[in-house]
Short mmCIF file of all heavy atoms in Angstrom, two decimals:
data_model
loop_
_atom_site.label_atom_id
_atom_site.label_comp_id
_atom_site.label_asym_id
_atom_site.label_seq_id
_atom_site.Cartn_x
_atom_site.Cartn_y
_atom_site.Cartn_z
N GLN A 97 14.38 3.56 -0.35
CA GLN A 97 14.65 2.22 -0.94
C GLN A 97 16.08 2.11 -1.42
O GLN A 97 16.83 1.09 -1.14
CB GLN A 97 13.69 1.90 -1.94
CG GLN A 97 12.20 1.66 -1.56
CD GLN A 97 11.23 1.37 -2.70
OE1 GLN A 97 11.43 1.88 -3.77
NE2 GLN A 97 10.16 0.73 -2.42
N SER A 98 16.56 3.05 -2.14
CA SER A 98 17.95 3.06 -2.65
C SER A 98 18.92 3.25 -1.44
O SER A 98 19.92 2.46 -1.39
CB SER A 98 18.19 4.27 -3.49
OG SER A 98 19.45 4.42 -3.91
N LEU A 99 18.62 4.03 -0.37
CA LEU A 99 19.46 4.17 0.78
C LEU A 99 19.49 2.83 1.48
O LEU A 99 20.55 2.42 1.99
CB LEU A 99 18.99 5.25 1.61
CG LEU A 99 19.74 5.50 2.97
CD1 LEU A 99 21.15 5.77 2.80
CD2 LEU A 99 19.06 6.63 3.74
N ASN A 100 18.37 2.16 1.57
CA ASN A 100 18.35 0.91 2.36
C ASN A 100 19.18 -0.16 1.69
O ASN A 100 19.83 -0.89 2.46
CB ASN A 100 16.83 0.39 2.36
CG ASN A 100 16.65 -0.70 3.36
OD1 ASN A 100 16.78 -0.56 4.55
ND2 ASN A 100 16.45 -1.85 2.93
N VAL A 101 19.26 -0.23 0.51
CA VAL A 101 20.14 -1.19 -0.26
C VAL A 101 21.66 -0.82 0.14
O VAL A 101 22.43 -1.69 0.39
CB VAL A 101 20.03 -1.05 -1.73
CG1 VAL A 101 21.06 -1.93 -2.50
CG2 VAL A 101 18.61 -1.55 -2.22
N MET A 102 21.98 0.50 0.15
CA MET A 102 23.37 0.91 0.47
C MET A 102 23.74 0.49 1.88
O MET A 102 24.83 0.12 2.22
CB MET A 102 23.48 2.37 0.28
CG MET A 102 23.44 2.84 -1.17
SD MET A 102 22.95 4.51 -1.41
CE MET A 102 24.08 5.40 -0.38
N LEU A 103 22.74 0.52 2.75
CA LEU A 103 23.02 0.29 4.23
C LEU A 103 23.04 -1.21 4.55
O LEU A 103 23.77 -1.62 5.42
CB LEU A 103 21.97 1.00 5.05
CG LEU A 103 21.89 2.59 5.03
CD1 LEU A 103 20.73 3.06 5.78
CD2 LEU A 103 23.23 3.12 5.55
N GLU A 104 22.25 -1.92 3.83
CA GLU A 104 22.10 -3.35 4.21
C GLU A 104 22.83 -4.31 3.24
O GLU A 104 23.34 -5.32 3.76
CB GLU A 104 20.57 -3.89 4.13
CG GLU A 104 19.68 -3.29 5.31
CD GLU A 104 18.29 -3.97 5.33
OE1 GLU A 104 18.08 -4.78 4.47
OE2 GLU A 104 17.60 -3.56 6.26
N LYS A 105 22.97 -3.97 2.02
CA LYS A 105 23.53 -4.94 1.06
C LYS A 105 24.96 -4.48 0.69
O LYS A 105 25.58 -5.31 -0.02
CB LYS A 105 22.71 -4.92 -0.22
CG LYS A 105 21.16 -5.31 0.02
CD LYS A 105 21.03 -6.66 0.64
CE LYS A 105 19.55 -7.00 0.75
NZ LYS A 105 19.36 -8.36 1.46
N ARG A 106 25.47 -3.32 1.02
CA ARG A 106 26.71 -2.89 0.69
C ARG A 106 27.60 -2.78 1.98
O ARG A 106 27.05 -2.71 3.01
CB ARG A 106 26.67 -1.48 -0.06
CG ARG A 106 25.84 -1.50 -1.26
CD ARG A 106 26.40 -2.26 -2.46
NE ARG A 106 25.49 -2.23 -3.63
CZ ARG A 106 24.61 -3.03 -3.94
NH1 ARG A 106 24.35 -4.17 -3.22
NH2 ARG A 106 23.85 -2.81 -5.05
N PRO A 107 28.95 -2.80 1.84
CA PRO A 107 29.79 -2.86 3.04
C PRO A 107 29.90 -1.42 3.65
O PRO A 107 31.00 -0.82 3.85
CB PRO A 107 31.07 -3.23 2.44
CG PRO A 107 31.15 -2.84 1.08
CD PRO A 107 29.74 -2.94 0.53
N THR A 108 28.73 -0.87 4.08
CA THR A 108 28.71 0.41 4.75
C THR A 108 29.06 0.36 6.24
O THR A 108 28.48 -0.46 6.92
CB THR A 108 27.24 1.01 4.60
OG1 THR A 108 27.05 1.30 3.26
CG2 THR A 108 27.10 2.30 5.39
N ASN A 109 29.99 1.14 6.67
CA ASN A 109 30.40 1.22 8.05
C ASN A 109 30.16 2.58 8.67
O ASN A 109 30.12 2.78 9.88
CB ASN A 109 31.81 0.72 8.19
CG ASN A 109 31.93 -0.72 8.00
OD1 ASN A 109 31.20 -1.55 8.56
ND2 ASN A 109 32.89 -1.11 7.10
N TYR A 110 30.11 3.55 7.81
CA TYR A 110 30.01 5.03 8.29
C TYR A 110 29.00 5.71 7.30
O TYR A 110 28.87 5.48 6.24
CB TYR A 110 31.37 5.71 8.19
CG TYR A 110 32.47 5.04 9.11
CD1 TYR A 110 33.25 4.00 8.58
CD2 TYR A 110 32.56 5.46 10.44
CE1 TYR A 110 34.18 3.45 9.43
CE2 TYR A 110 33.48 4.79 11.33
CZ TYR A 110 34.22 3.83 10.85
OH TYR A 110 35.18 3.24 11.64
N VAL A 111 28.25 6.67 8.00
CA VAL A 111 27.34 7.50 7.30
C VAL A 111 27.59 8.91 7.53
O VAL A 111 27.71 9.35 8.70
CB VAL A 111 25.93 7.09 7.70
CG1 VAL A 111 24.84 8.12 7.22
CG2 VAL A 111 25.49 5.63 7.26
N LEU A 112 27.68 9.72 6.56
CA LEU A 112 27.73 11.22 6.64
C LEU A 112 26.24 11.71 6.28
O LEU A 112 25.80 11.65 5.08
CB LEU A 112 28.74 11.80 5.67
CG LEU A 112 28.79 13.33 5.58
CD1 LEU A 112 29.32 13.89 6.98
CD2 LEU A 112 29.71 13.79 4.53
N ASP A 113 25.58 12.22 7.36
CA ASP A 113 24.32 12.78 7.22
C ASP A 113 24.45 14.28 7.11
O ASP A 113 24.79 15.01 8.15
CB ASP A 113 23.47 12.35 8.45
CG ASP A 113 22.14 13.03 8.43
OD1 ASP A 113 21.58 13.41 7.35
OD2 ASP A 113 21.53 13.14 9.58
N ALA A 114 24.24 14.85 6.08
CA ALA A 114 24.50 16.28 5.80
C ALA A 114 23.31 17.04 5.41
O ALA A 114 22.30 16.56 4.85
CB ALA A 114 25.55 16.39 4.58
N ASP A 115 23.35 18.36 5.79
CA ASP A 115 22.31 19.31 5.52
C ASP A 115 22.94 20.62 5.11
O ASP A 115 23.84 21.12 5.82
CB ASP A 115 21.36 19.48 6.68
CG ASP A 115 20.10 20.31 6.36
OD1 ASP A 115 19.14 19.81 5.90
OD2 ASP A 115 20.17 21.49 6.76
N ILE A 116 22.40 21.21 4.01
CA ILE A 116 23.05 22.51 3.53
C ILE A 116 22.20 23.62 4.19
O ILE A 116 20.86 23.62 4.16
CB ILE A 116 22.94 22.60 2.13
CG1 ILE A 116 23.79 21.53 1.41
CG2 ILE A 116 23.48 23.99 1.55
CD1 ILE A 116 23.67 21.39 -0.09
N LYS A 117 22.87 24.63 4.74
CA LYS A 117 22.07 25.71 5.51
C LYS A 117 21.48 26.67 4.41
O LYS A 117 22.23 27.19 3.61
CB LYS A 117 23.15 26.45 6.40
CG LYS A 117 22.58 27.58 7.15
CD LYS A 117 23.65 28.27 8.03
CE LYS A 117 23.04 29.33 8.97
NZ LYS A 117 24.05 29.82 9.88
N GLY A 118 20.11 26.73 4.54
CA GLY A 118 19.46 27.79 3.68
C GLY A 118 19.68 27.57 2.22
O GLY A 118 20.02 28.55 1.50
N PHE A 119 19.66 26.40 1.75
CA PHE A 119 20.07 26.11 0.29
C PHE A 119 19.43 26.95 -0.64
O PHE A 119 20.05 27.63 -1.51
CB PHE A 119 19.90 24.61 -0.03
CG PHE A 119 20.10 24.30 -1.47
CD1 PHE A 119 21.49 24.21 -1.92
CD2 PHE A 119 19.10 23.90 -2.29
CE1 PHE A 119 21.64 23.95 -3.22
CE2 PHE A 119 19.38 23.63 -3.57
CZ PHE A 119 20.70 23.66 -4.04
N PHE A 120 18.06 26.98 -0.71
CA PHE A 120 17.36 27.73 -1.76
C PHE A 120 17.63 29.31 -1.59
O PHE A 120 17.56 29.91 -2.59
CB PHE A 120 15.84 27.41 -1.59
CG PHE A 120 15.48 26.07 -2.16
CD1 PHE A 120 15.42 25.04 -1.44
CD2 PHE A 120 15.17 25.90 -3.56
CE1 PHE A 120 15.12 23.66 -1.89
CE2 PHE A 120 14.80 24.76 -4.06
CZ PHE A 120 14.76 23.54 -3.28
N ASP A 121 17.86 29.61 -0.38
CA ASP A 121 18.10 31.16 -0.17
C ASP A 121 19.44 31.59 -0.58
O ASP A 121 19.73 32.82 -0.61
CB ASP A 121 17.78 31.48 1.28
CG ASP A 121 16.36 31.24 1.67
OD1 ASP A 121 15.51 31.31 0.82
OD2 ASP A 121 16.10 30.93 2.88
N HIS A 122 20.41 30.63 -0.71
CA HIS A 122 21.79 31.06 -1.04
C HIS A 122 22.32 30.56 -2.33
O HIS A 122 23.55 30.46 -2.55
CB HIS A 122 22.67 30.54 0.16
CG HIS A 122 22.38 31.32 1.49
ND1 HIS A 122 21.55 30.65 2.43
CD2 HIS A 122 22.63 32.43 1.89
CE1 HIS A 122 21.46 31.49 3.40
NE2 HIS A 122 22.09 32.61 3.17
N ILE A 123 21.51 30.04 -3.26
CA ILE A 123 21.94 29.72 -4.58
C ILE A 123 22.50 31.03 -5.20
O ILE A 123 21.89 32.02 -5.37
CB ILE A 123 20.81 29.22 -5.41
CG1 ILE A 123 20.39 27.77 -4.87
CG2 ILE A 123 21.18 29.12 -6.86
CD1 ILE A 123 19.17 27.19 -5.63
N ASN A 124 23.79 30.81 -5.65
CA ASN A 124 24.49 31.95 -6.26
C ASN A 124 24.05 32.12 -7.73
O ASN A 124 24.11 31.22 -8.54
CB ASN A 124 26.09 31.63 -6.24
CG ASN A 124 26.84 32.83 -6.83
OD1 ASN A 124 26.93 32.94 -8.00
ND2 ASN A 124 27.48 33.55 -5.93
N HIS A 125 23.55 33.22 -8.05
CA HIS A 125 22.91 33.43 -9.41
C HIS A 125 23.92 33.22 -10.56
O HIS A 125 23.65 32.70 -11.55
CB HIS A 125 22.26 34.83 -9.43
CG HIS A 125 21.13 34.99 -8.59
ND1 HIS A 125 20.44 36.17 -8.35
CD2 HIS A 125 20.47 34.04 -7.73
CE1 HIS A 125 19.37 35.99 -7.58
NE2 HIS A 125 19.40 34.69 -7.20
N ASP A 126 25.14 33.78 -10.28
CA ASP A 126 26.15 33.66 -11.34
C ASP A 126 26.50 32.23 -11.61
O ASP A 126 26.67 31.79 -12.82
CB ASP A 126 27.44 34.56 -11.02
CG ASP A 126 27.09 35.92 -11.11
OD1 ASP A 126 26.17 36.45 -11.82
OD2 ASP A 126 27.83 36.70 -10.46
N TRP A 127 26.69 31.46 -10.67
CA TRP A 127 27.02 30.05 -10.71
C TRP A 127 25.86 29.33 -11.36
O TRP A 127 26.06 28.38 -12.20
CB TRP A 127 27.46 29.45 -9.40
CG TRP A 127 28.80 29.62 -8.93
CD1 TRP A 127 29.22 30.34 -7.90
CD2 TRP A 127 29.98 29.16 -9.62
NE1 TRP A 127 30.63 30.27 -7.73
CE2 TRP A 127 31.06 29.60 -8.88
CE3 TRP A 127 30.16 28.48 -10.80
CZ2 TRP A 127 32.42 29.29 -9.31
CZ3 TRP A 127 31.53 28.19 -11.17
CH2 TRP A 127 32.60 28.62 -10.49
N ALA A 128 24.62 29.61 -10.95
CA ALA A 128 23.49 28.96 -11.50
C ALA A 128 23.36 29.21 -13.03
O ALA A 128 23.14 28.21 -13.81
CB ALA A 128 22.14 29.45 -10.82
N VAL A 129 23.61 30.44 -13.46
CA VAL A 129 23.63 30.74 -14.84
C VAL A 129 24.74 30.04 -15.59
O VAL A 129 24.57 29.50 -16.68
CB VAL A 129 23.66 32.21 -15.07
CG1 VAL A 129 23.89 32.54 -16.58
CG2 VAL A 129 22.38 32.84 -14.67
N ARG A 130 25.98 30.00 -15.02
CA ARG A 130 27.07 29.31 -15.59
C ARG A 130 26.84 27.78 -15.77
O ARG A 130 27.12 27.25 -16.90
CB ARG A 130 28.33 29.42 -14.75
CG ARG A 130 28.86 30.95 -14.93
CD ARG A 130 30.06 31.13 -14.02
NE ARG A 130 31.22 30.39 -14.33
CZ ARG A 130 32.42 30.40 -13.80
NH1 ARG A 130 32.61 31.38 -12.77
NH2 ARG A 130 33.45 29.65 -14.13
N PHE A 131 26.22 27.25 -14.80
CA PHE A 131 25.90 25.74 -14.94
C PHE A 131 24.79 25.51 -16.06
O PHE A 131 24.96 24.56 -16.81
CB PHE A 131 25.27 25.29 -13.59
CG PHE A 131 26.23 25.32 -12.47
CD1 PHE A 131 25.73 25.41 -11.17
CD2 PHE A 131 27.63 25.16 -12.65
CE1 PHE A 131 26.61 25.50 -10.08
CE2 PHE A 131 28.46 25.10 -11.63
CZ PHE A 131 28.07 25.24 -10.28
N ILE A 132 23.83 26.41 -16.11
CA ILE A 132 22.88 26.18 -17.24
C ILE A 132 23.59 26.48 -18.59
O ILE A 132 23.17 25.80 -19.55
CB ILE A 132 21.67 27.17 -17.01
CG1 ILE A 132 20.90 26.77 -15.76
CG2 ILE A 132 20.72 27.25 -18.19
CD1 ILE A 132 19.84 27.82 -15.31
N GLU A 133 24.47 27.48 -18.63
CA GLU A 133 25.18 27.74 -19.87
C GLU A 133 26.06 26.59 -20.37
O GLU A 133 26.47 26.60 -21.55
CB GLU A 133 25.92 29.05 -19.78
CG GLU A 133 25.08 30.32 -19.79
CD GLU A 133 25.88 31.49 -19.59
OE1 GLU A 133 26.95 31.50 -18.93
OE2 GLU A 133 25.45 32.58 -20.20
N SER A 134 26.37 25.69 -19.52
CA SER A 134 27.09 24.51 -19.92
C SER A 134 26.49 23.70 -20.94
O SER A 134 27.13 22.96 -21.70
CB SER A 134 27.51 23.66 -18.66
OG SER A 134 26.41 23.03 -18.16
N ARG A 135 25.08 23.77 -21.01
CA ARG A 135 24.28 23.08 -22.05
C ARG A 135 23.36 23.94 -22.86
O ARG A 135 22.87 23.43 -23.80
CB ARG A 135 23.62 21.85 -21.38
CG ARG A 135 24.52 20.89 -20.66
CD ARG A 135 23.83 19.60 -20.44
NE ARG A 135 24.68 18.61 -19.79
CZ ARG A 135 25.54 17.81 -20.46
NH1 ARG A 135 25.57 17.84 -21.73
NH2 ARG A 135 26.40 17.01 -19.82
N ILE A 136 23.11 25.12 -22.36
CA ILE A 136 22.25 25.99 -23.14
C ILE A 136 22.87 27.32 -23.29
O ILE A 136 23.16 28.04 -22.42
CB ILE A 136 20.93 26.19 -22.36
CG1 ILE A 136 20.12 24.84 -22.14
CG2 ILE A 136 20.06 27.15 -23.16
CD1 ILE A 136 18.90 24.91 -21.32
N LYS A 137 23.20 27.71 -24.61
CA LYS A 137 23.84 29.02 -24.92
C LYS A 137 22.80 29.92 -25.52
O LYS A 137 23.12 31.05 -26.00
CB LYS A 137 24.93 28.74 -25.87
CG LYS A 137 26.16 28.01 -25.27
CD LYS A 137 26.88 28.79 -24.30
CE LYS A 137 28.19 28.04 -23.89
NZ LYS A 137 28.97 28.84 -22.92
N ASP A 138 21.52 29.57 -25.60
CA ASP A 138 20.53 30.53 -26.05
C ASP A 138 20.38 31.66 -25.27
O ASP A 138 19.92 31.54 -24.10
CB ASP A 138 19.23 29.70 -26.26
CG ASP A 138 18.10 30.55 -27.04
OD1 ASP A 138 18.12 31.73 -26.92
OD2 ASP A 138 17.28 29.90 -27.77
N PRO A 139 20.62 32.85 -25.76
CA PRO A 139 20.52 34.06 -24.97
C PRO A 139 19.17 34.37 -24.43
O PRO A 139 19.01 35.04 -23.36
CB PRO A 139 21.04 35.24 -25.83
CG PRO A 139 20.93 34.72 -27.29
CD PRO A 139 21.09 33.16 -27.17
N ASN A 140 18.09 33.90 -25.14
CA ASN A 140 16.73 34.14 -24.64
C ASN A 140 16.43 33.42 -23.51
O ASN A 140 15.69 33.85 -22.56
CB ASN A 140 15.83 33.83 -25.83
CG ASN A 140 15.94 34.76 -27.09
OD1 ASN A 140 15.94 35.89 -26.94
ND2 ASN A 140 16.13 34.11 -28.24
N ILE A 141 16.91 32.09 -23.42
CA ILE A 141 16.70 31.29 -22.26
C ILE A 141 17.51 31.85 -21.05
O ILE A 141 16.94 31.97 -19.88
CB ILE A 141 17.10 29.77 -22.54
CG1 ILE A 141 16.19 29.24 -23.62
CG2 ILE A 141 17.07 29.00 -21.19
CD1 ILE A 141 14.76 29.02 -23.13
#
């Protein structure tokens, strides 16, 4: 529904349809932890 508004009601002329290769299999653990640490510094979590 949100995409439909963007395509019909907004001045859309081009669409980038993207897909990430093996996303869940290639999540970098260090980056994931760093992202979580941006809001949680509890060492137990």
